[in-house]
Amino acid sequence: MALNRGLVMEIKGGKGVILTRDGRFLKVRLPKGAEIGKEVNIPKTSFISYKPLMAVASLLVAVFAWFAFQMATPAASAYVALDINPSIELGVDNKDLVVSARGLNEEGKLLINSIKYKKKPLDQCLSEIINSAIQSRYLSPEKDNLIIATVTKTDQHSPVKKEISVDSIYTVIRQPIKDNGIKAELVVSETEPKVLKNARKIGTTPGRYLIQQEAEKKGIKISNKDLRENKIRELEVSQHIRAAECINNADPGTISGWDDKINKKPTFEKNGNNNNSADSKNKMDQKDLKTKNSNGFTKDNYGTEKKYGSDTKNNGSKGVKDEPIKNNIKPQKGNNVFINHNDKGTPEKEADKLKADKLKDDLGEFNWSVIMTKNKMGLNEFTESENEQYGNQQEKNKAQDPDHVKDQEKPGRKENYHGKRQDSANEPGYQKELETIQDYFKNLIKGNENNNKPRGETN
Amino acid sequence: MLLGDQFESRIAAIKKGDKVSREQLIAEAKPFIAAVTGRLCGRSLNWESDDELSIGLIAFNEAIDRFNIDQGVPFTAFARLVIRSRVTDYLRRESRWNKVDLASQDSAGMLDNSADYAASWDQYVSEIVDRERKEEIQIFSDKLKHLGISFSDLANVSPKHKDTRETLICAAQFIVQSNFYPELLKNRKLPLKEIAIGTGISRKVLERGRKYIMAVSTLLYYRDEFIYLKSYIKAPQRGV
């Protein structure tokens, strides 16, 4: 350390003024035993002039901060990127704790600011983000929701825990969506570190980057800004692409599926007791549909989740994940029309089901028109109960009209037109109207029982 | 006491055996020796009649041999110290009261060149030097106080850059050489205008270095009193 030799001129406490050999008067911290008139050696650092010290200190702080940032970033052994529409990137260390989080677009930044993510387990953090997105109405029942999650393992050597697998993330994200009764398409995929690197270059998530890449293969250009800030659904519409398909093309191991309320209801095809002509036709139609969906995007509206391509293409996917539906029977608005529809077993209930199916069968045309009218009139409150009818109706229509296949693919889009029904669901007016409708249907069922008994029995 | 600043470098040459230079230096130093010895004795001395001056001259010669630049003591101060020490010894020996005892032993010890002696001599020098420096600082401090300057003021304003310092030292030299110092002492103000005209240094720089200039010019004006302190103020190579 450089020394400054100087003559002690003045002593005040531990400090003093020295006169150095080059004619400077300096305020310094004096060593012990210093006396006025003695020459002392002063290390340069004990100058009391704080200005250069401050400059050095602030520089050090900046350098340290930079290093800390550098250290913190590679500390993540995996990155999980979410596109809800807010795009968020979470860095996860090898203990599955979230060590960093970045918003990759404006909404993402807002969202991440509302969450304390530091050192939280990944699954907890993910659910918080999804819940927050639901609260902020990025995800809401009336929207056509799409969530893309990508996992990128940067550290290939360290054993990455099970929690950062495609499957577990799928499950974790699915849970809050399910709990909130939101219908969403969920795509979870694993990407190469290279993809993450490229995505970072344009400041977005690997998911969006893949969409851009795949779109480009098809000759569709998406600008980086659009890619960052626009909703993926909007991109899908404006660029005529399918996001899920794009990502699936890039990574065959992608899991995707739909989560919505309808999932919780049994499908008609699974209800073996109701083999009436319409249902069997339905079944056939559905199979038809699946084969027709040659792009590999299979989604049936009735509660099966499938891995991509498992039905039609089988392009290296991990196999069919055909979950039977869990019948958690919360009384749901949609179920009210068909009393205890979900419960199998007791003869009484079986009878109810019969009634219900008959109703569907017989009143298909009729309900269709009712729904249409209501939509036109803006009476959106009934969508939940109608949805089932509506879907059923669509199936039928499609059987007759192949043009409807596309509609069947994206039933959620239809739902967009129903507006803000969910908000008013708890209002007394709604309940009252629901009851009237229920009564109306019940009456119809009774009427059917009386008039069409022979038909019901033949089935 | 008209000793220049370049002593230290000249002594290095003399020590290497430049006898002519030594003679020259001693000749130049005669007034200095006379002044130091005279002050010690409390009367003016005459080269022809007073032994004290001869002792002083021998002491100065000894100082040249003994001088060690690494000690950080200006040669002037060192020479003065040696002269005073030797002359005092001489006076003691000559005095009736101390004719017999310790003084002669002391003197004998002084001439001994053993390591013991060298160590004690060094200690003696450094003690004296410290004391003298302390006295100088005290005097300097008082003089500065009169001008309304404290050491911490100086620490706050003393220029960090060597160039600036040299510029201000130039200004101080100008003040002393142009005899502005008494005026400065009276007014406690720098004759800024005159310095600016005389040296070509901008007023702004002068104003900023006001206190530093005043302090340095004090050291330069009383340079005989501030042998030690003045050695810290290196005059820049360029003249005024």
Side-chain angles (χ1 to χ4, degrees), chain B residues 52 109 113 140 160 168 170 177 180 196 205 230:
Chain B
E52 286 88 344
N113 261 339
F140 187 43
K160 289 170 187 72
L168 296 185
C170 274
Q177 284 167 8
F180 280 121
V205 175
K230 199 196 148 283

Coordinates of all heavy atoms in Angstrom, one line a residue, chain B residues 52 109 113 140 160 168 170 177 180 196 205 230:
Chain B
E52 N 34.4 30.3 19.1 CA 33.1 29.6 18.9 C 32.9 29.4 17.4 O 32.3 28.4 17.0 CB 32.0 30.5 19.5 CG 31.9 30.4 21.0 CD 32.8 31.5 21.6 OE1 33.7 32.1 21.0 OE2 32.6 31.8 22.8
G109 N 33.0 10.9 24.5 CA 32.1 9.9 23.9 C 31.6 10.3 22.6 O 31.4 9.5 21.7
N113 N 33.4 6.3 17.7 CA 32.6 6.0 16.6 C 31.9 4.6 16.7 O 31.5 4.0 15.7 CB 33.5 6.0 15.3 CG 33.2 7.3 14.6 OD1 32.2 7.9 14.8 ND2 34.2 7.7 13.7
F140 N 4.4 28.5 13.6 CA 3.6 28.6 12.3 C 2.1 28.7 12.6 O 1.4 29.5 12.0 CB 3.9 27.3 11.5 CG 3.4 27.3 10.1 CD1 3.4 28.5 9.3 CD2 2.8 26.2 9.6 CE1 2.9 28.5 8.0 CE2 2.3 26.2 8.3 CZ 2.3 27.4 7.5
K160 N -5.2 19.4 -4.6 CA -4.8 18.0 -4.8 C -3.8 17.8 -5.9 O -3.0 16.9 -5.9 CB -6.1 17.2 -5.0 CG -6.9 17.1 -3.8 CD -8.3 16.5 -4.1 CE -9.2 16.6 -2.9 NZ -9.6 18.0 -2.6
L168 N 0.4 27.8 -7.0 CA 0.1 28.6 -5.8 C 1.4 28.9 -5.0 O 1.6 30.0 -4.5 CB -0.8 27.9 -4.8 CG -2.2 27.6 -5.4 CD1 -3.1 27.0 -4.4 CD2 -2.8 28.9 -5.9
C170 N 4.3 29.4 -6.5 CA 4.8 30.4 -7.3 C 4.3 31.8 -6.8 O 5.0 32.8 -6.7 CB 4.4 30.3 -8.8 SG 5.6 29.2 -9.7
Q177 N 9.1 37.7 -2.7 CA 10.1 38.4 -3.4 C 9.8 39.9 -3.7 O 10.6 40.7 -3.7 CB 10.4 37.7 -4.7 CG 11.2 36.4 -4.5 CD 11.2 35.5 -5.7 OE1 10.8 35.9 -6.8 NE2 11.8 34.3 -5.5
F180 N 5.5 41.9 -0.7 CA 4.1 42.1 -0.4 C 3.7 41.6 0.9 O 2.6 41.8 1.4 CB 3.1 41.5 -1.5 CG 3.1 42.3 -2.7 CD1 3.4 41.8 -4.0 CD2 2.6 43.6 -2.7 CE1 3.3 42.5 -5.1 CE2 2.5 44.4 -3.8 CZ 2.8 43.8 -5.1
A196 N -1.9 38.7 -9.6 CA -2.5 38.3 -10.9 C -1.7 38.9 -12.0 O -1.3 38.3 -13.0 CB -3.9 38.6 -11.0
V205 N -8.0 31.2 -9.6 CA -7.2 30.2 -9.0 C -6.6 30.8 -7.7 O -6.5 30.1 -6.7 CB -6.0 29.8 -10.0 CG1 -5.0 28.9 -9.3 CG2 -6.6 29.2 -11.2
K230 N 9.7 24.6 5.8 CA 10.0 25.1 4.5 C 10.5 23.9 3.6 O 10.2 23.9 2.4 CB 11.0 26.2 4.5 CG 11.0 27.0 3.3 CD 12.3 27.9 3.2 CE 12.6 28.1 1.7 NZ 13.2 26.9 1.1

